[in-house]
Each structure stands twice: as C-alpha cells, then as structure tokens.
Amino acid sequence: MTAQKTYWLEHAWLGAHVEPGVALGVSADGRIAEVRTGADAPPPGAEVLRGLTVPGLANAHSHAFHRALRSTVQVGSGTFWTWREVMYGVAQNLTPDSYFALARAVYAEMALAGITNVGEFHYVHHAPGGTPYADPNAMGEALIEAAAAAGIRITLLDTAYLAAGFGEAPNPHQLRFSDGTAEAWAERVSALKPREHALIGAAVHSVRAVPAGQLATVAAWARQRQAPLHVHLSEQTAENDACLAAHGRTPTQLLADHGVLGPGTTGVHNTHLTDEDIALLGGTTTGTCMCPTTERDLADGIGPAGRLQRAGSPLSLGSDSHAVIDLLEEARAMELNERLRSRTRGHWTANALLTAATAGGHASLGRPDAGRLEPGALADFTTIALDTVRTAGPLPRLGAETAVFAASAADVRHTVVGGRHVVRDGAHTLVGDVAGALSEAIAAVRG
C-alpha cells in the first residue's frame, strides 16, 4: 500500500498514549498506508494538522430527525412519554426530500464535531398513514444520500417497528413506521444495497414494538448477512414492567430467548437491568451503546456501563436525540455520571473513553477497520485544537485527558474521511452554511 498523500500530525493519540510529530501516509484507496513517529517537522508537501489528532469519532446511535426537537422540548416538564408525542409531530411532517435536507445538515453538524461515521436508527419508512412510497426505501435512501452529501459514513440501521406495545396495533402516528410483519420488513430492507460510504444493518426498535414471535426473523436477517443489529433495551422502567406482565421475563431475557443477543448485537441505553440481565449481555458479548446526554435529557436514568463492560459488553457512544451533538461530551458524561452515582472518581481512563468514542463505536457499526491510527485502517480522523480557552494550558502529553474532560465539539478543527478533508479549519468543505441549512430544514418539518 503506497502512500499518495501525507498528513503531519502535531500530536496524535495512538490508542494508549499521545505521540508528538507523526507523519501519516494515506493511500489512494482512502486507507492509512503508514504511521511514522519521530517526525519533528512536517515532511515536504505534507498537510499540517496542529493540535491533537484522534481517529474519527463514531456516533453509534442517531435519530437524525430528532435534531428538530432541540430546545423546543425544553419548555415545561414531563416524561419520556410526553416527549414522544412531540417527536411524533415532527415525524409526521417528514418526506424523502425534507428528510434528505434535514439529515444532510445534521450529518454536516456531526462532521464539524469530528464524527466520521453515524449509526442511523431509522424507522420512518412510509408515508403518513403507512402507504409505501413508490420506492419503498425512499426514506432510507434519502439518509444514505444525505451522509454522502455531508461527507461522512453511515450504517443505516433499518428498524423493525411493528406494534405500539405488547399486543397493541400501531397507533396512527406509528403506521408510517410499520411494515406489518417482520417478514415484510425483511423483504423491504433486503432491497437496500451497501456502497462505499454506507453499510446496511438492522434494528429491533424495542421489545414493545416487535412482537416476540417475530424477533427471530429480524435477528436471522442480520446474522445471515453478518450485519450489525441494534435494539433499544430497557430505557424505561415502564417497558420492563410491561414486558414482565406480558412474558414473565425482562426485555433482556426475552431477547436472549429469541436469539437476538450476541457479538453482532448492540443494546442501546441498557439502563434498567437486573444482575441476570447484565450477566446475559456480557456473557454473549452483546455491546452497550450509552447515550448520556439523551438519557439525562429525558430523565431516563444512569445505566450500569461499568458493570456491563466488566461483564464483557463492549462500550460505544451515541448522541441519540441530538440534544447536543458532541461525542466528547458523551464520553465525559459517561464517566461523570458514574462518579455521581458511586461518589468515587476514575472509573474509566481518558484512553478508555476515547476508545469507546472511536474504535468501540465503529466496531458496533460494522466497521472494525476504522477507529485506529494504524496501517490498513480507514483514513478517518479528526483534529482537536489544544490552544482554545477550553484546552490551553495542559501539557500536550495529556491530550487525551484534555480532549475528554475539557474540550467540546467547538474545538474540532479538522475532520478527514477516507483521506479527504471534510472539515478544514473549522469550516465544512461540502456544506457552506451548516447553521443556515439546519435552520431551513428544521423550519420545513416543524409543522
């Protein structure tokens, strides 16, 4: 693999430590060809990235249209369930064209935050009322094209969403989410094709939204294709109570009974778990995607991330409802939440938290070849400034600690995907006015 382009990294996080002066060669196929340390000065012709360069961040859980709810849902009080009613109103106004415009702007915001890959948990499949579009995958295709237009990678986690609750038909808002049966879902999603920037995965929305007898169909579709499989799991105690009433077991136990758990599966939230649930998830190497900013925004609770990881569940991070889009904040929040609960410090090192935000997230999205600055990996990386009012002062060798515990998305200076600059000096190279694009797209779906 011959390097076609060279980046000189003033400081680089190499997974366990920060190294000064790294020359990173990128080949024509968008992969890292070489990583050379001890490069005290930029080689001739190299692109210079000053600050701390880390692998591209992976946003393992996203609902792009929820970005339209930011701040709007902060008026008054309520619960997850009252928040959901506001969310339904936005979902009803989406069309393939308006969803493309909104998602393009949201994914551009992600690129500005150093995110190079997004897992889009996609369930708005059909027109209002449930009538399929002429292309039954028009909404999913809009998301795939939006990611391309914003310059980032996507794993489209096409979601089975078939019921309003245990034994309940979809409500009027949910009709556009439902394919009727898991078999019809599988037939539709099989027509989606991966491409260079996009992988196709699957999702079970939740145990309340997919009848138990149809869970195995979704799991089998993913297993046969070695595709990622995600599921909202025990986000709310009300769901746990309803599952116990309907099936006499917890949601985790129900998923285990129907073959959903396993190393290709990621449970999102995993908040309200029993000891047996934690052992099941860890013992099957089922992943855990924590979304701390959403979990605290919706008053969900604090998930047992530390216990899950110790049991064997790999960790990843997501911004979910996009109350903010900042994977550094998600990493910081996971540690700080645990400190609040335990009243002790230091549950994860900065290196471990960055790993969850990078390699852990990419692996959960079906890209184990991303999230590392090493030869053969995808040339996806981002540079965080070390000279802003938030990051100035600490020694560069503490760059990982500075990134996780002090920096924010606003400190991202460069984002490179496949060796191509998508964000340069804090400006998006493909979407000229990201804030303007967000404002226009959100106004179109606000209703």
Side-chain angles (χ1 to χ4, degrees):
M1 190 183 295
T2 304
Q4 300 289 314
K5 186 174 186 177
T6 300
Y7 286 90
W8 182 76
L9 317 180
E10 184 181 28
H11 303 281
W13 178 69
L14 299 183
H17 70 287
V18 172
E19 186 77 25
V22 175
L24 191 148
V26 177
S27 61
D29 65 355
R31 292 184 177 271
I32 297 173
E34 65 171 342
V35 178
R36 180 164 56 86
T37 60
D40 296 333
E47 289 244 21
V48 174
L49 303 183
R50 296 203 177 274
L52 175 71
T53 297
V54 304
L57 306 176
N59 190 351
H61 190 66
S62 162
H63 303 291
F65 77 91
H66 289 190
R67 174 62 178 82
L69 302 174
R70 185 181 295 179
S71 298
T72 301
V73 290
Q74 302 300 344
V75 178
S77 60
T79 66
F80 168 88
W81 308 102
T82 55
W83 170 90
R84 191 175 68 160
E85 293 302 315
V86 181
M87 178 270 289
Y88 284 153
V90 172
Q92 286 300 100
N93 293 327
L94 294 171
T95 67
D97 288 343
S98 66
Y99 208 4
F100 167 82
L102 178 57
R104 171 179 172 266
V106 173
Y107 297 156
E109 182 182 357
M110 290 185 192
L112 289 170
I115 293 164
T116 59
N117 190 15
V118 60
E120 184 60 41
F121 200 102
H122 165 56
Y123 55 81
V124 187
H125 301 306
H126 309 299
T131 302
Y133 290 102
D135 173 1
N137 286 305
M139 295 294 270
E141 291 289 350
L143 292 165
I144 290 171
E145 293 308 312
I152 70 171
R153 304 184 196 275
I154 185 172
T155 297
L156 187 75
L157 299 162
D158 195 288
T159 303
Y161 194 136
L162 309 173
F166 297 99
E168 298 179 31
N171 67 37
H173 294 300
Q174 297 164 340
L175 289 173
R176 70 180 309 189
F177 308 162
S178 177
D179 291 293
T181 66
E183 289 75 15
W185 167 85
E187 180 179 358
R188 177 183 55 74
V189 73
S190 294
L192 286 163
K193 303 302 178 189
R195 50 220 80 170
E196 184 178 358
H197 80 290
L199 301 179
I200 308 302
V204 170
H205 180 273
S206 55
V207 292
R208 70 177 186 274
V210 177
Q214 301 188 56
L215 290 169
T217 299
V218 182
W221 186 94
R223 300 285 184 260
Q224 288 164 9
R225 292 160 178 79
Q226 296 185 309
L229 174 62
H230 287 214
V231 53
H232 288 134
L233 179 57
S234 289
E235 181 179 5
Q236 294 290 322
T237 55
E239 178 178 271
N240 288 358
D241 295 342
C243 189
L244 285 166
H247 296 289
R249 58 213 342 94
T250 67
T252 300
Q253 292 166 335
L254 187 67
L255 293 174
D257 289 347
H258 293 275
V260 176
L261 303 185
T265 300
T266 297
V268 180
H269 304 303
N270 293 359
T271 306
H272 302 285
L273 303 176
T274 66
D275 292 345
E276 293 77 12
D277 291 340
I278 292 171
L280 264 176
L281 293 167
T284 55
T285 327
T286 300
T288 293
C289 179
M290 301 302 294
C291 306
T293 63
T294 290
E295 289 150 7
R296 66 192 183 192
D297 181 61
L298 296 180
D300 288 342
I302 301 171
R307 293 182 62 199
L308 282 160
Q309 187 177 47
R310 289 191 294 274
S313 179
L315 296 181
S316 56
L317 296 165
S319 64
D320 192 0
S321 67
H322 313 314
V324 297
I325 294 177
D326 189 339
L327 263 288
L328 301 174
E329 172 62 22
E330 302 295 345
R332 175 163 57 244
M334 187 165 70
E335 166 67 22
L336 298 186
N337 282 352
E338 197 69 18
R339 292 182 187 186
L340 282 174
R341 177 166 55 187
S342 67
R343 292 183 289 176
T344 60
R345 303 175 77 233
H347 300 273
W348 290 275
T349 65
N351 289 330
L353 293 167
L354 273 181
T355 297
T358 56
H362 291 292
S364 80
L365 298 178
R367 291 196 184 271
D369 55 347
R372 297 174 178 84
L373 299 181
E374 61 185 37
L378 290 169
D380 299 355
F381 43 91
T382 188
T383 303
I384 300 160
L386 295 179
D387 58 357
T388 73
V389 293
R390 287 167 294 278
T391 61
L395 295 171
R397 64 180 174 80
L398 296 175
E401 287 77 9
T402 301
V404 171
F405 292 105
S408 77
D411 298 310
V412 170
R413 289 294 173 266
H414 305 280
T415 301
V416 174
V417 181
R420 179 180 70 161
H421 247 105
V422 175
V423 173
R424 186 188 297 273
D425 296 320
H428 204 288
T429 63
L430 301 176
V431 182
D433 179 7
V434 177
L438 284 164
S439 294
E440 184 176 344
I442 290 169
V445 301
R446 186 177 290 133

